[in-house]
Short mmCIF file of all heavy atoms in Angstrom, two decimals:
data_model
loop_
_atom_site.label_atom_id
_atom_site.label_comp_id
_atom_site.label_asym_id
_atom_site.label_seq_id
_atom_site.Cartn_x
_atom_site.Cartn_y
_atom_site.Cartn_z
N MET A 623 28.93 44.75 -25.30
CA MET A 623 29.09 43.72 -24.30
C MET A 623 30.30 42.86 -24.67
O MET A 623 30.54 42.57 -25.83
CB MET A 623 27.82 42.88 -24.24
CG MET A 623 27.92 41.73 -23.30
SD MET A 623 26.50 41.38 -22.26
CE MET A 623 26.02 42.96 -21.66
N ALA A 624 31.04 42.44 -23.69
CA ALA A 624 32.25 41.66 -23.89
C ALA A 624 31.92 40.19 -24.18
O ALA A 624 30.92 39.67 -23.70
CB ALA A 624 33.14 41.75 -22.67
N ASP A 625 32.80 39.58 -24.96
CA ASP A 625 32.69 38.13 -25.19
C ASP A 625 33.02 37.40 -23.91
O ASP A 625 33.75 37.90 -23.06
CB ASP A 625 33.70 37.68 -26.25
CG ASP A 625 33.28 38.03 -27.66
OD1 ASP A 625 32.23 38.66 -27.83
OD2 ASP A 625 34.03 37.66 -28.58
N ARG A 626 32.52 36.20 -23.80
CA ARG A 626 32.92 35.28 -22.74
C ARG A 626 33.55 34.09 -23.43
O ARG A 626 33.15 33.70 -24.53
CB ARG A 626 31.72 34.83 -21.92
CG ARG A 626 31.08 35.95 -21.13
CD ARG A 626 29.92 35.42 -20.31
NE ARG A 626 29.18 36.52 -19.71
CZ ARG A 626 28.05 36.36 -19.04
NH1 ARG A 626 27.53 35.15 -18.88
NH2 ARG A 626 27.43 37.39 -18.52
N ILE A 627 34.54 33.52 -22.78
CA ILE A 627 35.24 32.37 -23.36
C ILE A 627 35.24 31.22 -22.38
O ILE A 627 35.53 31.40 -21.20
CB ILE A 627 36.69 32.73 -23.74
CG1 ILE A 627 36.71 33.86 -24.76
CG2 ILE A 627 37.43 31.50 -24.27
CD1 ILE A 627 38.11 34.39 -25.06
N ILE A 628 34.90 30.04 -22.88
CA ILE A 628 35.02 28.80 -22.13
C ILE A 628 36.06 27.97 -22.88
O ILE A 628 35.99 27.85 -24.10
CB ILE A 628 33.69 28.02 -22.07
CG1 ILE A 628 32.62 28.84 -21.36
CG2 ILE A 628 33.89 26.69 -21.35
CD1 ILE A 628 31.25 28.17 -21.40
N SER A 629 37.00 27.39 -22.16
CA SER A 629 38.07 26.64 -22.80
C SER A 629 38.09 25.18 -22.37
O SER A 629 37.79 24.86 -21.22
CB SER A 629 39.42 27.26 -22.46
OG SER A 629 39.50 28.57 -22.96
N SER A 630 38.45 24.34 -23.32
CA SER A 630 38.77 22.95 -23.01
C SER A 630 40.28 22.81 -23.24
O SER A 630 40.96 23.81 -23.49
CB SER A 630 37.98 22.00 -23.92
OG SER A 630 38.46 22.07 -25.25
N ARG A 631 40.79 21.60 -23.18
CA ARG A 631 42.23 21.44 -23.41
C ARG A 631 42.62 21.74 -24.85
O ARG A 631 43.75 22.16 -25.10
CB ARG A 631 42.67 20.02 -23.05
CG ARG A 631 42.64 19.79 -21.57
CD ARG A 631 43.32 18.53 -21.14
NE ARG A 631 43.04 17.39 -22.02
CZ ARG A 631 43.70 16.27 -21.99
NH1 ARG A 631 44.67 16.10 -21.14
NH2 ARG A 631 43.38 15.28 -22.80
N THR A 632 41.70 21.55 -25.80
CA THR A 632 42.07 21.70 -27.22
C THR A 632 41.34 22.83 -27.95
O THR A 632 41.77 23.23 -29.03
CB THR A 632 41.79 20.40 -27.98
OG1 THR A 632 40.40 20.09 -27.86
CG2 THR A 632 42.62 19.25 -27.42
N HIS A 633 40.24 23.33 -27.39
CA HIS A 633 39.44 24.33 -28.09
C HIS A 633 38.94 25.43 -27.15
O HIS A 633 38.86 25.22 -25.94
CB HIS A 633 38.22 23.68 -28.77
CG HIS A 633 38.57 22.86 -29.95
ND1 HIS A 633 39.08 21.57 -29.82
CD2 HIS A 633 38.50 23.11 -31.26
CE1 HIS A 633 39.30 21.08 -31.03
NE2 HIS A 633 38.96 21.99 -31.93
N ASP A 634 38.60 26.57 -27.74
CA ASP A 634 37.96 27.68 -27.03
C ASP A 634 36.58 27.92 -27.63
O ASP A 634 36.41 27.82 -28.85
CB ASP A 634 38.76 28.98 -27.18
CG ASP A 634 40.12 28.94 -26.51
OD1 ASP A 634 40.24 28.25 -25.48
OD2 ASP A 634 41.03 29.61 -27.01
N ALA A 635 35.64 28.24 -26.78
CA ALA A 635 34.29 28.62 -27.23
C ALA A 635 34.11 30.10 -26.91
O ALA A 635 34.13 30.49 -25.74
CB ALA A 635 33.24 27.79 -26.52
N HIS A 636 33.97 30.90 -27.94
CA HIS A 636 33.74 32.34 -27.77
C HIS A 636 32.24 32.58 -27.82
O HIS A 636 31.58 32.23 -28.81
CB HIS A 636 34.41 33.13 -28.91
CG HIS A 636 35.89 33.03 -28.91
ND1 HIS A 636 36.69 34.01 -28.36
CD2 HIS A 636 36.73 32.07 -29.36
CE1 HIS A 636 37.95 33.66 -28.50
NE2 HIS A 636 38.00 32.48 -29.11
N MET A 637 31.70 33.18 -26.77
CA MET A 637 30.26 33.46 -26.70
C MET A 637 30.04 34.97 -26.70
O MET A 637 30.75 35.70 -26.02
CB MET A 637 29.67 32.87 -25.42
CG MET A 637 29.87 31.38 -25.29
SD MET A 637 29.34 30.77 -23.68
CE MET A 637 30.51 31.57 -22.61
N THR A 638 29.06 35.40 -27.47
CA THR A 638 28.71 36.82 -27.54
C THR A 638 27.20 36.95 -27.45
O THR A 638 26.47 36.18 -28.07
CB THR A 638 29.17 37.43 -28.88
OG1 THR A 638 30.55 37.20 -29.05
CG2 THR A 638 28.87 38.91 -28.94
N VAL A 639 26.74 37.93 -26.68
CA VAL A 639 25.33 38.27 -26.62
C VAL A 639 25.24 39.78 -26.84
O VAL A 639 25.94 40.55 -26.19
CB VAL A 639 24.69 37.89 -25.27
CG1 VAL A 639 23.29 38.45 -25.14
CG2 VAL A 639 24.66 36.37 -25.12
N ARG A 640 24.42 40.19 -27.80
CA ARG A 640 24.27 41.62 -28.06
C ARG A 640 22.81 41.98 -28.25
O ARG A 640 22.00 41.15 -28.66
CB ARG A 640 25.10 42.04 -29.26
CG ARG A 640 24.78 41.34 -30.54
CD ARG A 640 25.69 41.81 -31.67
NE ARG A 640 25.76 40.90 -32.79
CZ ARG A 640 24.78 40.58 -33.60
NH1 ARG A 640 23.61 41.09 -33.44
NH2 ARG A 640 24.96 39.74 -34.60
N ASP A 641 22.51 43.22 -27.92
CA ASP A 641 21.15 43.73 -28.04
C ASP A 641 20.86 44.04 -29.50
O ASP A 641 21.65 44.70 -30.18
CB ASP A 641 21.02 45.01 -27.20
CG ASP A 641 19.59 45.49 -27.07
OD1 ASP A 641 18.68 44.80 -27.56
OD2 ASP A 641 19.40 46.55 -26.47
N HIS A 642 19.74 43.54 -29.99
CA HIS A 642 19.33 43.80 -31.37
C HIS A 642 18.06 44.64 -31.31
O HIS A 642 16.96 44.11 -31.25
CB HIS A 642 19.09 42.49 -32.13
CG HIS A 642 18.92 42.68 -33.59
ND1 HIS A 642 17.71 42.93 -34.16
CD2 HIS A 642 19.83 42.67 -34.58
CE1 HIS A 642 17.86 43.06 -35.46
NE2 HIS A 642 19.15 42.89 -35.74
N ILE A 643 18.22 45.91 -31.28
CA ILE A 643 17.24 46.95 -31.04
C ILE A 643 15.81 46.49 -30.77
O ILE A 643 15.39 46.44 -29.64
CB ILE A 643 17.29 47.99 -32.17
CG1 ILE A 643 18.71 48.55 -32.25
CG2 ILE A 643 16.29 49.09 -31.95
CD1 ILE A 643 19.00 49.36 -33.46
N ALA A 644 15.05 46.12 -31.77
CA ALA A 644 13.63 45.81 -31.57
C ALA A 644 13.35 44.31 -31.44
O ALA A 644 12.29 43.93 -30.98
CB ALA A 644 12.81 46.38 -32.71
N ASP A 645 14.31 43.49 -31.83
CA ASP A 645 14.05 42.05 -31.93
C ASP A 645 14.44 41.26 -30.69
O ASP A 645 14.16 40.08 -30.61
CB ASP A 645 14.76 41.48 -33.15
CG ASP A 645 14.23 42.07 -34.43
OD1 ASP A 645 13.02 42.33 -34.51
OD2 ASP A 645 15.03 42.27 -35.36
N GLY A 646 15.15 41.84 -29.76
CA GLY A 646 15.58 41.12 -28.57
C GLY A 646 17.09 41.01 -28.51
O GLY A 646 17.80 41.93 -28.90
N TRP A 647 17.59 39.89 -28.05
CA TRP A 647 19.02 39.66 -27.87
C TRP A 647 19.49 38.58 -28.84
O TRP A 647 18.81 37.59 -29.06
CB TRP A 647 19.30 39.22 -26.43
CG TRP A 647 18.96 40.30 -25.46
CD1 TRP A 647 17.72 40.54 -24.91
CD2 TRP A 647 19.82 41.30 -24.96
NE1 TRP A 647 17.80 41.63 -24.08
CE2 TRP A 647 19.06 42.12 -24.09
CE3 TRP A 647 21.17 41.59 -25.13
CZ2 TRP A 647 19.61 43.20 -23.42
CZ3 TRP A 647 21.72 42.66 -24.46
CH2 TRP A 647 20.94 43.46 -23.61
N VAL A 648 20.68 38.76 -29.40
CA VAL A 648 21.27 37.80 -30.32
C VAL A 648 22.45 37.13 -29.64
O VAL A 648 23.34 37.81 -29.12
CB VAL A 648 21.75 38.48 -31.61
CG1 VAL A 648 22.39 37.47 -32.54
CG2 VAL A 648 20.60 39.18 -32.31
N ALA A 649 22.46 35.81 -29.61
CA ALA A 649 23.55 35.04 -29.04
C ALA A 649 24.31 34.33 -30.15
O ALA A 649 23.72 33.80 -31.08
CB ALA A 649 23.01 34.01 -28.05
N SER A 650 25.63 34.35 -30.03
CA SER A 650 26.49 33.66 -30.99
C SER A 650 27.53 32.85 -30.25
O SER A 650 28.04 33.28 -29.21
CB SER A 650 27.21 34.66 -31.90
OG SER A 650 26.29 35.43 -32.62
N VAL A 651 27.86 31.68 -30.79
CA VAL A 651 28.90 30.83 -30.23
C VAL A 651 29.83 30.44 -31.37
O VAL A 651 29.39 30.01 -32.42
CB VAL A 651 28.31 29.56 -29.58
CG1 VAL A 651 29.42 28.63 -29.12
CG2 VAL A 651 27.39 29.92 -28.43
N CYS A 652 31.11 30.59 -31.13
CA CYS A 652 32.12 30.24 -32.13
C CYS A 652 33.14 29.31 -31.47
O CYS A 652 33.75 29.68 -30.46
CB CYS A 652 32.78 31.52 -32.63
SG CYS A 652 34.04 31.26 -33.86
N ILE A 653 33.34 28.13 -32.03
CA ILE A 653 34.30 27.16 -31.50
C ILE A 653 35.54 27.19 -32.39
O ILE A 653 35.44 27.02 -33.60
CB ILE A 653 33.71 25.73 -31.50
CG1 ILE A 653 32.35 25.69 -30.82
CG2 ILE A 653 34.70 24.75 -30.88
CD1 ILE A 653 32.35 25.98 -29.35
N VAL A 654 36.71 27.42 -31.77
CA VAL A 654 37.97 27.48 -32.52
C VAL A 654 39.03 26.67 -31.78
O VAL A 654 38.92 26.43 -30.58
CB VAL A 654 38.46 28.94 -32.70
CG1 VAL A 654 37.48 29.75 -33.53
CG2 VAL A 654 38.70 29.61 -31.37
N PRO A 655 40.09 26.25 -32.50
CA PRO A 655 41.20 25.58 -31.82
C PRO A 655 41.78 26.50 -30.73
O PRO A 655 41.73 27.72 -30.86
CB PRO A 655 42.21 25.32 -32.93
CG PRO A 655 41.37 25.27 -34.17
CD PRO A 655 40.27 26.27 -33.95
N LYS A 656 42.34 25.92 -29.70
CA LYS A 656 42.90 26.65 -28.56
C LYS A 656 43.79 27.81 -29.02
O LYS A 656 44.65 27.63 -29.87
CB LYS A 656 43.71 25.68 -27.71
CG LYS A 656 44.15 26.23 -26.40
CD LYS A 656 43.02 26.15 -25.45
CE LYS A 656 43.52 26.37 -24.03
NZ LYS A 656 42.42 26.53 -23.14
N ASP A 657 43.53 28.98 -28.48
CA ASP A 657 44.31 30.21 -28.71
C ASP A 657 44.24 30.74 -30.14
O ASP A 657 44.98 31.64 -30.49
CB ASP A 657 45.76 30.03 -28.29
CG ASP A 657 45.88 29.73 -26.80
OD1 ASP A 657 45.08 30.29 -26.02
OD2 ASP A 657 46.75 28.93 -26.44
N ALA A 658 43.37 30.21 -30.99
CA ALA A 658 43.19 30.74 -32.34
C ALA A 658 42.24 31.93 -32.27
O ALA A 658 41.41 32.02 -31.36
CB ALA A 658 42.61 29.67 -33.26
N PRO A 659 42.34 32.86 -33.22
CA PRO A 659 41.41 33.99 -33.21
C PRO A 659 39.98 33.55 -33.54
O PRO A 659 39.77 32.53 -34.22
CB PRO A 659 41.95 34.92 -34.30
CG PRO A 659 42.79 34.06 -35.17
CD PRO A 659 43.29 32.93 -34.31
N LYS A 660 39.03 34.30 -33.06
CA LYS A 660 37.62 34.02 -33.33
C LYS A 660 37.38 34.11 -34.83
O LYS A 660 37.87 35.01 -35.49
CB LYS A 660 36.77 35.04 -32.58
CG LYS A 660 35.30 34.81 -32.69
CD LYS A 660 34.56 35.84 -31.84
CE LYS A 660 33.08 35.80 -32.10
NZ LYS A 660 32.39 36.83 -31.33
N SER A 661 36.61 33.17 -35.36
CA SER A 661 36.35 33.11 -36.79
C SER A 661 34.84 33.05 -37.03
O SER A 661 34.14 32.30 -36.39
CB SER A 661 37.01 31.86 -37.37
OG SER A 661 36.59 31.64 -38.69
N LYS A 662 34.35 33.81 -37.97
CA LYS A 662 32.91 33.84 -38.24
C LYS A 662 32.42 32.57 -38.91
O LYS A 662 31.25 32.26 -38.86
CB LYS A 662 32.57 35.06 -39.09
CG LYS A 662 32.76 36.34 -38.34
CD LYS A 662 32.08 37.48 -39.03
CE LYS A 662 32.33 38.75 -38.29
NZ LYS A 662 31.30 39.16 -37.42
N GLU A 663 33.28 31.81 -39.55
CA GLU A 663 32.83 30.60 -40.25
C GLU A 663 32.36 29.49 -39.31
O GLU A 663 31.63 28.62 -39.72
CB GLU A 663 33.95 30.04 -41.13
CG GLU A 663 34.30 30.92 -42.30
CD GLU A 663 35.65 31.57 -42.08
OE1 GLU A 663 36.53 30.97 -41.45
OE2 GLU A 663 35.82 32.69 -42.55
N LEU A 664 32.77 29.51 -38.06
CA LEU A 664 32.46 28.41 -37.16
C LEU A 664 31.35 28.73 -36.17
O LEU A 664 31.24 28.08 -35.15
CB LEU A 664 33.72 27.99 -36.42
CG LEU A 664 34.84 27.47 -37.31
CD1 LEU A 664 36.10 27.21 -36.49
CD2 LEU A 664 34.42 26.20 -38.03
N ILE A 665 30.52 29.71 -36.46
CA ILE A 665 29.45 30.07 -35.53
C ILE A 665 28.42 28.96 -35.50
O ILE A 665 27.92 28.51 -36.52
CB ILE A 665 28.80 31.41 -35.92
CG1 ILE A 665 29.80 32.54 -35.66
CG2 ILE A 665 27.51 31.64 -35.15
CD1 ILE A 665 29.32 33.91 -36.03
N LYS A 666 28.10 28.51 -34.29
CA LYS A 666 27.17 27.41 -34.10
C LYS A 666 25.77 27.89 -33.74
O LYS A 666 24.83 27.14 -33.81
CB LYS A 666 27.67 26.49 -32.98
CG LYS A 666 29.01 25.87 -33.24
CD LYS A 666 28.89 24.80 -34.28
CE LYS A 666 30.21 24.09 -34.46
NZ LYS A 666 30.13 23.01 -35.41
N LEU A 667 25.66 29.12 -33.27
CA LEU A 667 24.38 29.64 -32.82
C LEU A 667 24.31 31.11 -33.19
O LEU A 667 25.26 31.85 -32.98
CB LEU A 667 24.27 29.49 -31.29
CG LEU A 667 23.08 30.12 -30.59
CD1 LEU A 667 21.81 29.36 -30.93
CD2 LEU A 667 23.29 30.11 -29.08
N ASP A 668 23.25 31.53 -33.77
CA ASP A 668 23.04 32.95 -34.07
C ASP A 668 21.53 33.14 -34.05
O ASP A 668 20.88 33.12 -35.08
CB ASP A 668 23.64 33.31 -35.42
CG ASP A 668 23.85 34.80 -35.58
OD1 ASP A 668 23.67 35.55 -34.58
OD2 ASP A 668 24.18 35.25 -36.69
N THR A 669 20.97 33.28 -32.86
CA THR A 669 19.53 33.22 -32.66
C THR A 669 19.06 34.36 -31.78
O THR A 669 19.79 34.84 -30.93
CB THR A 669 19.17 31.87 -31.98
OG1 THR A 669 19.67 30.82 -32.78
CG2 THR A 669 17.68 31.71 -31.83
N PHE A 670 17.81 34.76 -31.96
CA PHE A 670 17.20 35.82 -31.14
C PHE A 670 16.57 35.24 -29.88
O PHE A 670 15.96 34.17 -29.91
CB PHE A 670 16.09 36.54 -31.93
CG PHE A 670 16.62 37.38 -33.04
CD1 PHE A 670 16.54 36.96 -34.35
CD2 PHE A 670 17.20 38.62 -32.77
CE1 PHE A 670 17.03 37.74 -35.38
CE2 PHE A 670 17.69 39.41 -33.80
CZ PHE A 670 17.61 38.96 -35.11
N PHE A 671 16.72 35.96 -28.77
CA PHE A 671 16.13 35.59 -27.49
C PHE A 671 15.42 36.80 -26.89
O PHE A 671 15.78 37.93 -27.19
CB PHE A 671 17.20 35.10 -26.51
CG PHE A 671 17.89 33.85 -26.96
CD1 PHE A 671 19.03 33.90 -27.73
CD2 PHE A 671 17.37 32.61 -26.62
CE1 PHE A 671 19.67 32.75 -28.15
CE2 PHE A 671 17.99 31.45 -27.04
CZ PHE A 671 19.14 31.52 -27.81
N GLU A 672 14.44 36.55 -26.02
CA GLU A 672 13.67 37.63 -25.41
C GLU A 672 14.42 38.37 -24.32
O GLU A 672 14.16 39.53 -24.06
CB GLU A 672 12.35 37.10 -24.85
CG GLU A 672 11.39 36.68 -25.94
CD GLU A 672 10.06 36.23 -25.37
OE1 GLU A 672 9.74 36.58 -24.21
OE2 GLU A 672 9.34 35.53 -26.09
N SER A 673 15.35 37.69 -23.64
CA SER A 673 16.09 38.37 -22.56
C SER A 673 17.58 38.05 -22.65
O SER A 673 17.99 37.02 -23.20
CB SER A 673 15.56 37.96 -21.19
OG SER A 673 15.97 36.66 -20.86
N GLU A 674 18.38 38.93 -22.08
CA GLU A 674 19.82 38.75 -22.09
C GLU A 674 20.24 37.51 -21.30
O GLU A 674 21.09 36.74 -21.73
CB GLU A 674 20.50 39.99 -21.51
CG GLU A 674 22.02 39.91 -21.53
CD GLU A 674 22.67 41.14 -20.95
OE1 GLU A 674 21.98 41.98 -20.33
OE2 GLU A 674 23.90 41.25 -21.11
N ASP A 675 19.62 37.30 -20.14
CA ASP A 675 19.97 36.14 -19.31
C ASP A 675 19.72 34.82 -20.04
O ASP A 675 20.54 33.90 -19.97
CB ASP A 675 19.18 36.16 -18.00
CG ASP A 675 19.64 37.25 -17.06
OD1 ASP A 675 20.77 37.75 -17.22
OD2 ASP A 675 18.86 37.61 -16.17
N VAL A 676 18.60 34.72 -20.71
CA VAL A 676 18.28 33.49 -21.46
C VAL A 676 19.27 33.30 -22.61
O VAL A 676 19.71 32.18 -22.88
CB VAL A 676 16.82 33.53 -21.99
CG1 VAL A 676 16.54 32.37 -22.92
CG2 VAL A 676 15.84 33.53 -20.83
N ALA A 677 19.65 34.38 -23.25
CA ALA A 677 20.62 34.29 -24.35
C ALA A 677 21.96 33.78 -23.85
O ALA A 677 22.56 32.88 -24.46
CB ALA A 677 20.77 35.66 -25.02
N TRP A 678 22.45 34.32 -22.72
CA TRP A 678 23.73 33.86 -22.17
C TRP A 678 23.65 32.40 -21.74
O TRP A 678 24.59 31.62 -21.99
CB TRP A 678 24.17 34.72 -20.98
CG TRP A 678 24.88 35.97 -21.37
CD1 TRP A 678 24.47 37.24 -21.13
CD2 TRP A 678 26.12 36.10 -22.09
NE1 TRP A 678 25.37 38.13 -21.65
CE2 TRP A 678 26.39 37.46 -22.24
CE3 TRP A 678 27.02 35.18 -22.60
CZ2 TRP A 678 27.53 37.93 -22.89
CZ3 TRP A 678 28.15 35.64 -23.25
CH2 TRP A 678 28.40 37.00 -23.39
N LYS A 679 22.56 32.02 -21.11
CA LYS A 679 22.41 30.64 -20.65
C LYS A 679 22.40 29.67 -21.84
O LYS A 679 23.05 28.62 -21.80
CB LYS A 679 21.12 30.49 -19.83
CG LYS A 679 20.98 29.14 -19.21
CD LYS A 679 19.84 29.08 -18.22
CE LYS A 679 19.84 27.73 -17.55
NZ LYS A 679 19.05 27.70 -16.36
N SER A 680 21.70 30.01 -22.89
CA SER A 680 21.65 29.16 -24.08
C SER A 680 23.01 29.07 -24.75
O SER A 680 23.44 27.99 -25.18
CB SER A 680 20.61 29.69 -25.07
OG SER A 680 19.33 29.60 -24.51
N ALA A 681 23.70 30.20 -24.86
CA ALA A 681 25.03 30.21 -25.48
C ALA A 681 26.00 29.34 -24.67
O ALA A 681 26.76 28.54 -25.24
CB ALA A 681 25.54 31.64 -25.58
N GLU A 682 25.97 29.46 -23.35
CA GLU A 682 26.87 28.68 -22.52
C GLU A 682 26.55 27.19 -22.60
O GLU A 682 27.46 26.35 -22.68
CB GLU A 682 26.80 29.15 -21.06
CG GLU A 682 27.79 28.42 -20.18
CD GLU A 682 27.84 28.95 -18.77
OE1 GLU A 682 27.34 30.06 -18.50
OE2 GLU A 682 28.39 28.23 -17.92
N THR A 683 25.29 26.84 -22.60
CA THR A 683 24.89 25.44 -22.70
C THR A 683 25.39 24.83 -24.01
O THR A 683 25.95 23.73 -24.03
CB THR A 683 23.35 25.31 -22.61
OG1 THR A 683 22.93 25.80 -21.34
CG2 THR A 683 22.90 23.87 -22.77
N LEU A 684 25.19 25.55 -25.12
CA LEU A 684 25.66 25.05 -26.42
C LEU A 684 27.18 24.97 -26.44
O LEU A 684 27.74 23.97 -26.92
CB LEU A 684 25.15 25.94 -27.54
CG LEU A 684 25.66 25.53 -28.93
CD1 LEU A 684 25.13 24.14 -29.31
CD2 LEU A 684 25.28 26.55 -29.96
N ALA A 685 27.85 25.98 -25.92
CA ALA A 685 29.32 25.99 -25.93
C ALA A 685 29.88 24.79 -25.16
O ALA A 685 30.78 24.11 -25.64
CB ALA A 685 29.84 27.30 -25.34
N ARG A 686 29.34 24.55 -23.98
CA ARG A 686 29.81 23.41 -23.17
C ARG A 686 29.55 22.07 -23.87
O ARG A 686 30.40 21.18 -23.87
CB ARG A 686 29.18 23.43 -21.79
CG ARG A 686 29.69 24.56 -20.94
CD ARG A 686 29.24 24.46 -19.50
NE ARG A 686 29.62 25.62 -18.75
CZ ARG A 686 30.85 25.88 -18.28
NH1 ARG A 686 31.81 25.02 -18.53
NH2 ARG A 686 31.10 26.97 -17.61
N ALA A 687 28.40 21.95 -24.51
CA ALA A 687 28.08 20.71 -25.24
C ALA A 687 29.04 20.51 -26.41
O ALA A 687 29.53 19.40 -26.64
CB ALA A 687 26.63 20.75 -25.73
N GLU A 688 29.31 21.57 -27.15
CA GLU A 688 30.22 21.47 -28.29
C GLU A 688 31.64 21.11 -27.83
O GLU A 688 32.30 20.28 -28.44
CB GLU A 688 30.25 22.78 -29.08
CG GLU A 688 28.97 23.06 -29.83
CD GLU A 688 28.75 22.10 -30.99
OE1 GLU A 688 29.71 21.63 -31.61
OE2 GLU A 688 27.58 21.82 -31.28
N LEU A 689 32.10 21.74 -26.75
CA LEU A 689 33.44 21.43 -26.24
C LEU A 689 33.52 19.98 -25.75
O LEU A 689 34.53 19.30 -25.97
CB LEU A 689 33.83 22.40 -25.12
CG LEU A 689 34.10 23.84 -25.56
CD1 LEU A 689 34.33 24.71 -24.34
CD2 LEU A 689 35.26 23.93 -26.53
N ASN A 690 32.47 19.50 -25.11
CA ASN A 690 32.45 18.10 -24.65
C ASN A 690 32.50 17.12 -25.82
O ASN A 690 33.09 16.06 -25.71
CB ASN A 690 31.23 17.82 -23.78
CG ASN A 690 31.38 18.37 -22.39
OD1 ASN A 690 32.48 18.56 -21.89
ND2 ASN A 690 30.27 18.66 -21.74
N ASN A 691 31.86 17.48 -26.93
CA ASN A 691 31.88 16.62 -28.12
C ASN A 691 33.25 16.54 -28.77
O ASN A 691 33.54 15.60 -29.50
CB ASN A 691 30.86 17.10 -29.15
CG ASN A 691 29.45 16.79 -28.75
OD1 ASN A 691 29.20 15.86 -27.98
ND2 ASN A 691 28.50 17.55 -29.25
N LEU A 692 34.08 17.54 -28.52
CA LEU A 692 35.42 17.59 -29.14
C LEU A 692 36.48 16.86 -28.33
O LEU A 692 37.61 16.76 -28.76
CB LEU A 692 35.84 19.04 -29.36
CG LEU A 692 35.00 19.81 -30.37
CD1 LEU A 692 35.35 21.28 -30.34
CD2 LEU A 692 35.20 19.25 -31.76
N LYS A 693 36.16 16.35 -27.17
CA LYS A 693 37.14 15.66 -26.32
C LYS A 693 37.52 14.34 -26.89
O LYS A 693 36.85 13.66 -27.55
CB LYS A 693 36.59 15.49 -24.90
CG LYS A 693 36.55 16.78 -24.17
CD LYS A 693 36.08 16.55 -22.75
CE LYS A 693 36.10 17.85 -21.99
NZ LYS A 693 35.65 17.69 -20.63
#
């Protein structure tokens, strides 16, 4: 599955949701300075969810909140 990116004026939030065979879906959010490559050190969320839709919604909610805090 492809990453999704939400951008603010100064930062990008990279969101990833992937299927974790028996455990459900794993969502990850990484906040980096604008146009910087994705970095594993800045992951804010790495949690299991029961459905893909819930995982994407949670990742997007966290990403938007983190970007708003950086303004």
